[in-house]
Amino acid sequence: MRWPAIAGLTGVALLLTGCSLTTVSGGQEIEIVAGERADGSMYFEPAEVTVPVEAEVTFVVRNKGQADHEFESGQKGEAGIEEVLVPADRVRRINWKAPSEPGVYPVYCDLPGHRAAGMEITLRVVEQP
Amino acid sequence: MGYSFLITAREGLEAGLIVAIVLGYLARTDQRRYWPHILLGTALALVGSVAVGAALEATASELSGKAQEAFEGGAMLFAVAVLTSMIFWMKRQASTMGAHMRQRVDVAIRSGSALALALLAFTAVGREGLETVLFLFAGTSGSGSSLLYWGGAGAGLAVAAAMAWVVYAGSARLPLRSFFNFTGVMLIVLAAGLLVNGMKELHEIGATPDLGPRLWDTYTILADNSEIGRFMATIFGYDSSPLLGQVVAYTGYLALTLTLFAAGRGRPAPPAAAPAAAAMTGDAVPALEGKHG
């Protein structure tokens, strides 16, 4: 009776601590900061990110603002970055693989009014240097 | 995968039982000549359901941003309402469904209209088909791998078809009441997840009142956008940093519906109302009364 219980608990512990199934990691990390300015505008920094084709990337999005924000580029013809909500004062990680062809894509916050307030950056996918 | 499997297994079995019972009844009463009408109505219902599902998916993919989230969030909340009412309706009707279905077959045959028989199968199976595509659509936005999601749906249908065949063939007595009770509880859990997922979608576009503060953050333990996090989000509505309103809605819905379900609030429908209900919605679990065919 004890061994199955110990094995089960170990499995759950492994699953919940280090397993890649429960966390988001793996690619080259790119730090993005999100937030709002005193003048009412909103931002992602840096405003432009460049990655090589087929690069495996982990965006680490840090929301330093007072409001929730999203990070995405998932509409038809965009970069294929899934929508992830980043609550105020939190960090979220998003894995993404760059397309095989060079291109320029918008990455933005799709919450009402946020993109218009400035929350959009340019993601450039370029040939391998 | 678990979500889509459960939905198609449950709904597929309801539809499969309708067909199995009607075909079995016709065979037993030497009226196999009407089988093609039933099969035609069933086939048309399946094609129609797939078409509705494709239209839902196409509509959602055409929309973008706020409109898409509103459409998906609305579909989720609508699915919760339909799912909940279906579970309780089913619990009330289960014991008398077989008789009602056979009554409807008799009425259709007496009317002398082949169309009436085909229509009977079409409406009964079509209802289950529409429920299935609505629930599957409501679950797609939270699913990670579409291959696993639709693989799970296919596996659920296969299990449902096998169980319906067993009922038709009369080769084994299936514990259908236990099956429907178990899947009923599971569906209530799924519906609670859909409820908070729908609230999340609508909250993101500002279509809900203030849902309060975020109560905790478990992202570093289980990320929403990790493999297991996505699965948990689809099944249980997992959110690593839920809003107060989401937590209240989730626990309140689960507590209320599970209590009512366990208390068997589904009293048998009054005799006068039952045929009308059957005619409107199509009956589903006649085999609960026993084997047929």
Side-chain angles (χ1 to χ4, degrees):
Chain A
M1 283 296 284
R2 277 175 57 191
W3 285 110
I6 291 170
L9 284 174
T10 307
V12 170
L14 280 174
L15 206 64
L16 295 180
T17 52
C19 182
S20 65
L21 293 175
T22 61
T23 57
V24 178
S25 60
Q28 175 207 341
E29 294 195 356
I30 297 178
E31 289 266 352
I32 305 283
V33 176
E36 311 95 42
R37 299 189 182 93
D39 63 2
S41 65
M42 300 179 177
Y43 65 89
F44 281 126
E45 288 176 354
E48 189 169 318
V49 173
T50 302
V51 297
V53 292
E54 295 189 320
E56 295 199 5
V57 168
T58 300
F59 292 105
V60 181
V61 185
R62 191 176 305 277
N63 184 354
K64 291 188 172 176
Q66 304 294 311
D68 293 351
H69 294 297
E70 285 181 350
F71 186 83
E72 68 172 290
S73 180
Q75 297 298 323
K76 210 174 286 181
E78 295 180 349
I81 299 174
E82 60 176 335
E83 171 194 301
V84 170
L85 183 83
V86 190
D89 200 28
R90 305 287 184 200
V91 178
R92 294 293 182 261
R93 303 165 65 87
I94 304 111
N95 279 352
W96 174 71
K97 185 175 180 184
S100 56
E101 297 293 326
V104 179
Y105 306 97
V107 183
Y108 49 88
C109 171
D110 207 24
L111 292 176
H114 290 206
R115 191 175 182 177
M119 293 200 85
E120 177 172 334
I121 62 177
T122 302
L123 175 59
R124 292 186 189 281
V125 178
V126 298
E127 292 287 4
Q128 293 277 1
Chain B
M1 181 182 179
Y3 172 87
S4 55
F5 176 85
L6 186 63
I7 290 293
T8 53
R10 161 90 182 209
E11 296 293 324
L13 182 59
E14 289 180 18
L17 287 177
I18 292 168
V19 177
I21 286 330
V22 172
L23 292 181
Y25 181 59
L26 289 173
R28 208 175 51 196
T29 53
D30 290 328
Q31 299 181 96
R32 278 179 189 260
R33 62 187 179 281
Y34 293 118
W35 271 28
H37 304 97
I38 298 299
L39 295 176
L40 176 67
T42 301
L44 288 175
L46 294 179
V47 170
S49 301
V50 171
V52 170
L56 273 175
E57 196 61 44
T59 306
S61 63
E62 282 303 309
L63 298 172
S64 62
K66 194 171 176 176
Q68 188 179 42
E69 299 204 32
F71 188 71
E72 289 177 354
M76 287 178 191
L77 296 188
F78 183 59
V80 171
V82 174
L83 204 52
T84 309
S85 62
M86 181 271 289
I87 292 165
F88 284 97
W89 183 86
M90 198 62 153
K91 198 169 170 65
R92 278 200 307 273
Q93 301 288 330
S95 61
T96 55
M97 278 179 180
H100 292 161
M101 202 68 212
R102 291 190 289 276
Q103 268 177 15
R104 290 179 63 193
V105 172
D106 287 338
V107 169
I109 291 173
R110 272 202 304 275
S111 75
S113 165
L115 182 66
L117 268 180
L119 198 62
L120 183 152
F122 180 79
T123 54
V125 176
R127 170 179 177 259
E128 306 303 332
L130 289 178
E131 285 177 1
T132 305
V133 297
L134 173 65
F135 302 149
L136 288 180
F137 172 74
T140 46
S141 63
S143 66
S145 159
S146 56
L147 185 67
L148 277 179
Y149 188 76
W150 294 109
L157 277 181
V159 167
M163 289 180 74
W165 170 255
V166 167
V167 169
Y168 171 76
S171 56
R173 193 168 185 89
L174 294 176
L176 289 174
R177 187 176 296 279
S178 300
F179 176 83
F180 280 105
N181 277 336
F182 172 74
T183 54
V185 171
M186 294 301 291
L187 287 175
I188 287 173
V189 174
L190 289 184
L194 274 181
L195 176 65
V196 291
N197 284 336
M199 289 173 71
K200 183 178 178 181
E201 295 278 347
L202 296 178
H203 180 260
E204 285 175 10
I205 58 169
T208 60
D210 184 10
L211 295 178
R214 296 190 181 277
L215 296 186
W216 58 74
D217 190 3
T218 51
Y219 187 81
T220 51
I221 299 170
L222 180 58
D224 311 65
N225 55 337
S226 66
E227 291 296 323
I228 293 180
R230 284 176 197 284
F231 174 78
M232 297 293 280
T234 306
I235 300 290
F236 300 111
Y238 172 73
D239 186 333
S240 61
S241 50
L243 296 158
L244 172 64
Q246 284 176 287
V247 174
V248 169
Y250 187 83
T251 50
Y253 175 86
L254 270 187
L256 183 66
T257 50
L258 285 177
T259 303
L260 291 177
F261 191 78
R265 267 294 170 91
R267 290 183 299 273
M280 286 297 292
T281 56
D283 299 335
V285 207
L288 284 172
E289 292 175 281
K291 289 182 290 183
H292 300 270

